[in-house]
Amino acid sequence: MKTLAIKICARTLTVATLAVAHATFAQDGDIRTGEANGLTWTYQVTSEDFKTASLCQNGITPTIPHTTKDQVVIPAELNGYIITEIGKCAFMKCNFVSGFDIPNTIVAIQENAFSACRRLKTIIIPESVTSISDSAFNACTMLSSITLLGAHTTFGEEVFSSDSNLTTIYVVGNTSQANVLAALTSSNINSCSVKTLATFDSGCESFMTKLTPPSTPGGKWQITAFAS
């Protein structure tokens, strides 16, 4: 009888230990929530080994569909997971938001990530972003300018489709300029100017010889030299 009791206790302990382990350790594809910057975020684990995650990947309910915040700061990490992607439809139809601050941990912006954000006016895409997928900024009807800090960012189809007020995209390097022009063509937008970041569209370009673009979202242009 004593032996049987010991075996039962051991079995109970093993089951309990497994249950705790299952509750503690996430797996790739798990969906979780976290608090940051005054909002509750939904994210999906993309790699448990590397502790990376995507905001609402694969068409999951948008992470903040009804926020009344005018400016949204996207977190660089949630619960110890580095946010490396803005997932499919993550901010689709966030109609109250006029600006998003994107952290430099983001490497990919997925399909329709900012689609139909009808109050979005301008946005800075950090250097870390290497790909922007199909229709990522589709139907952002108030979007007027984009600053693209990455020199080799690639684009999907119709990224800027129906962005009727998009007039200027600032880019770094010839590679990005060519890629942006191709993206504008696929979006059927012919009225948008693509300019290098050394150009300052304020009517006094001839007096300036060098400008330093903002290195982080929300940063300021720095005038570092003037023509004599």
Side-chain angles (χ1 to χ4, degrees):
M1 293 298 291
K2 290 183 179 180
T3 304
L4 179 60
I6 292 171
K7 287 182 178 179
I8 291 173
C9 289
R11 178 180 176 81
T12 303
L13 179 61
T14 301
V15 171
T17 303
L18 289 173
V20 170
H22 179 74
T24 303
F25 297 104
Q27 298 178 355
D28 293 359
D30 282 0
I31 300 168
R32 296 191 164 193
T33 60
E35 303 287 332
N37 304 329
L39 293 168
T40 299
W41 304 80
T42 304
Y43 63 94
Q44 187 171 35
V45 177
T46 54
S47 173
E48 177 61 22
D49 291 338
F50 293 100
K51 295 294 182 183
T52 60
S54 170
L55 291 178
C56 299
Q57 193 175 13
N58 300 326
I60 300 161
T61 302
T63 192
I64 52 166
H66 304 299
T67 181
T68 57
K69 284 180 174 288
D70 184 64
Q71 186 79 17
V72 168
V73 179
I74 298 172
E77 68 91 21
L78 288 166
N79 298 332
Y81 291 90
I82 303 299
I83 304 302
T84 59
E85 297 180 2
I86 299 176
K88 183 178 178 180
C89 302
F91 297 104
M92 187 175 183
K93 296 183 179 180
C94 285
N95 291 325
F96 292 100
V97 183
S98 61
F100 293 90
D101 286 355
I102 302 176
N104 59 11
T105 59
I106 300 295
V107 298
I109 298 175
Q110 303 292 1
E111 295 176 32
N112 292 294
F114 296 96
S115 181
C117 289
R118 301 190 188 280
R119 285 194 61 215
L120 179 61
K121 297 176 181 178
T122 185
I123 194 164
I124 298 173
I125 310 295
E127 185 178 2
S128 57
V129 174
T130 58
S131 67
I132 300 176
S133 296
D134 297 354
S135 303
F137 293 94
N138 172 54
C140 294
T141 53
M142 291 187 67
L143 183 63
S144 61
S145 69
I146 297 173
T147 301
L148 186 70
L149 297 179
H152 304 288
T153 306
T154 60
F155 294 82
E157 294 294 317
E158 299 185 351
V159 171
F160 308 111
S161 181
S162 300
D163 293 348
S164 55
N165 285 309
L166 185 59
T167 59
T168 310
I169 297 179
Y170 295 99
V171 299
V172 172
N174 293 329
T175 302
S176 282
Q177 188 168 24
N179 291 345
V180 169
L181 287 170
L184 290 171
T185 299
S186 76
S187 300
N188 196 29
I189 293 179
N190 301 315
S191 59
C192 181
S193 298
V194 181
K195 302 181 179 182
T196 64
L197 287 172
T199 300
F200 189 69
D201 194 13
S202 67
C204 56
E205 294 94 328
S206 61
F207 296 99
M208 300 178 183
T209 59
K210 186 176 180 181
L211 293 171
T212 302
S215 58
T216 58
K220 303 295 184 182
W221 288 79
Q222 300 295 318
I223 301 171
T224 55
F226 286 90
S228 58

